[in-house]
C-alpha cells in the first residue's frame, strides 16, 4: 500500500534574523539565520506546518546550512579571514603575553615585578612591546578573568590560525618560564593551560623543569 502521509522540513526566514558577514566556512559569503519547520505531507505535498522548528545559518550564496552551535567559530573566522602575516604574528605575540600575564598575576606577585618579567620576555622572544603597550598596564594586569581570556583566545586560534601559531604562543611561554621562578600556584596554572593545549603530564615535564 502506498504511504500517503509523511513529513518534510522546509526552511523559512526568521524575522530580523542575524547575519554573520563572510561567515560561510565553504565559500566565505554571508550567513543568514533561518529556521527549518516540520510540515506534514500528503502525497509528498506539504499540507500542515507544525510548531517544531530548529534554527540554522544558511549561506546566501551556496545555500549550505550550518549548526548555530558554531556561531562563535563562524564569527571568529570571518573576523580574521584576511589577516596578514604581520597581523597573525602580532596576535600570536599578544596571546603569548596574555598567557604569561595570566600566570604571573594569579599569585600575588607585585605589578612592578610582573611588568619587568613581561619586558624581558618580550625582548627574549623578539616581541615588539611598542605594539602591545596595553599588555603592561595595571588596568590589563589587574583583570580577574585573564585565565578565561587565555582560553577564549585558544578557541579563536583553533578556529582561525594554524596549530603552529597556537603552539608557539604556549611554547615560548613554557620555555621562558624555565628561566624565572614560578610559585607552585603559577606552575599549576601553566600546567592547566598546557593540558588545555593537549600536552600530557610527561610532555609538560619535558618542556618545563618545574615539576607538578
Ligand atoms: Zn557558502
Amino acid at each position: 500500500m502506498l504511504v500517503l502521509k509523511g513529513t518534510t522540513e522546509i526552511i523559512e526566514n526568521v524575522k530580523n534574523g542575524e547575519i554573520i558577514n563572510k561567515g560561510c566556512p565553504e565559500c566565505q559569503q554571508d550567513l543568514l539565520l533561518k529556521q527549518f519547520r516540520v510540515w506534514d505531507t500528503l502525497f509528498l505535498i506539504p499540507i500542515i506546518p507544525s510548531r517544531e522548528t530548529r534554527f540554522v545559518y544558511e549561506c546566501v550564496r551556496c545555500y549550505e546550512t550550518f549548526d548555530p552551535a558554531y556561531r562563535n567559530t563562524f564569527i571568529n573566522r570571518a573576523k580574521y579571514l584576511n589577516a596578514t602575516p604581520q597581523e597573525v604574528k602580532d596576535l600570536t605575540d599578544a596571546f603569548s603575553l596574555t598567557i604569561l600575564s595570566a600566570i604571573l598575576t594569579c599569585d600575588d606577585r607585585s605589578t612592578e615585578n610582573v611588568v619587568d618579567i613581561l619586558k624581558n620576555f618580550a625582548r627574549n622572544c623578539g616581541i615588539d612591546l611598542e605594539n602591545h603597550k596595553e599588555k603592561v598596564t595595571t588596568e590589563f594586569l589587574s583583570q580577574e578573568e585573564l585565565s578565561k581570556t587565555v582560553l577564549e583566545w585558544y578557541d579563536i586560534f583553533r578556529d582561525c590560525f594554524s596549530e603552529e601559531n597556537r603552539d608557539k604562543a604556549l611554547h615560548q611561554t613554557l620555555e621562558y618560564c624555565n628561566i624565572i621562578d614560578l610559585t607552585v600556584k603559577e606552575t599549576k596554572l601553566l600546567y592547566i593551560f598546557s593540558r588545555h593545549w593537549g600536552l600530557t603530564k610527561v610532555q609538560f615535564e619535558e618542556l618545563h623543569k618545574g615539576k607538578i
Side-chain angles (χ1 to χ4, degrees):
M1 179 156 153
L2 205 67
V3 180
L4 308 179
K5 288 182 176 175
T7 59
T8 188
E9 276 192 318
I10 294 179
I11 197 160
E12 299 173 345
N13 289 327
V14 175
K15 201 180 171 195
N16 300 324
E18 186 192 24
I19 296 167
I20 301 177
N21 291 319
K22 303 187 192 311
C24 177
E26 301 295 329
C27 74
Q28 285 77 50
Q29 275 300 309
D30 297 351
L31 292 177
L32 182 57
L33 187 68
K34 293 199 169 187
Q35 63 186 3
F36 274 116
R37 186 182 300 280
V38 177
W39 285 66
D40 289 330
T41 57
L42 195 59
F43 294 108
L44 302 175
I45 298 163
I47 304 290
I48 306 164
S50 77
R51 286 189 177 177
E52 212 180 304
T53 59
R54 64 183 173 98
F55 287 108
V56 289
Y57 285 104
E58 188 189 50
C59 174
V60 298
R61 184 202 271 165
C62 72
Y63 301 109
E64 193 70 52
T65 55
F66 302 94
D67 189 336
Y70 300 105
R71 177 179 178 272
N72 288 345
T73 301
F74 301 143
I75 292 172
N76 287 337
R77 280 212 190 122
K79 195 170 168 189
Y80 297 110
L81 194 62
N82 297 315
T84 64
Q86 183 59 45
E87 282 166 340
V88 176
K89 183 192 181 307
D90 280 347
L91 288 164
T92 308
D93 289 346
F95 191 20
S96 300
L97 287 164
T98 308
I99 297 168
L100 189 56
S101 302
I103 291 163
L104 296 175
T105 54
C106 79
D107 195 15
D108 291 334
R109 210 179 262 267
S110 78
T111 307
E112 295 77 35
N113 184 227
V114 174
V115 171
D116 276 350
I117 296 174
L118 287 173
K119 283 181 177 167
N120 280 325
F121 171 70
R123 214 168 295 135
N124 200 287
C125 299
I127 296 171
D128 185 0
L129 260 193
E130 278 299 298
N131 296 337
H132 304 283
K133 278 182 192 152
E134 78 291 349
K135 293 283 189 289
V136 287
T137 58
T138 315
E139 199 191 358
F140 177 77
L141 295 171
S142 59
Q143 287 178 80
E144 281 175 18
E145 304 271 297
L146 270 177
S147 299
K148 213 176 127 195
T149 307
V150 169
L151 300 182
E152 283 166 5
W153 271 98
Y154 176 90
D155 289 344
I156 292 174
F157 267 68
R158 187 202 51 209
D159 292 342
C160 311
F161 306 119
S162 69
E163 204 177 323
E164 197 187 318
N165 287 304
R166 190 180 13 159
D167 286 348
K168 188 186 165 199
L170 176 72
H171 285 203
Q172 64 186 9
T173 311
L174 264 169
E175 207 172 287
Y176 186 75
C177 284
N178 280 327
I179 57 174
I180 50 174
D181 282 329
L182 290 188
T183 67
V184 173
K185 200 173 168 187
E186 289 166 348
T187 308
K188 277 192 175 151
L189 187 54
L190 180 61
Y191 178 64
I192 288 170
F193 291 151
S194 304
R195 292 288 292 146
H196 197 79
W197 259 250
L199 295 189
T200 62
K201 193 172 176 217
V202 173
Q203 286 170 325
F204 174 77
E205 287 175 345
E206 274 169 12
L207 290 161
H208 185 67
K209 287 184 303 189
K211 295 282 175 204
I212 196 79

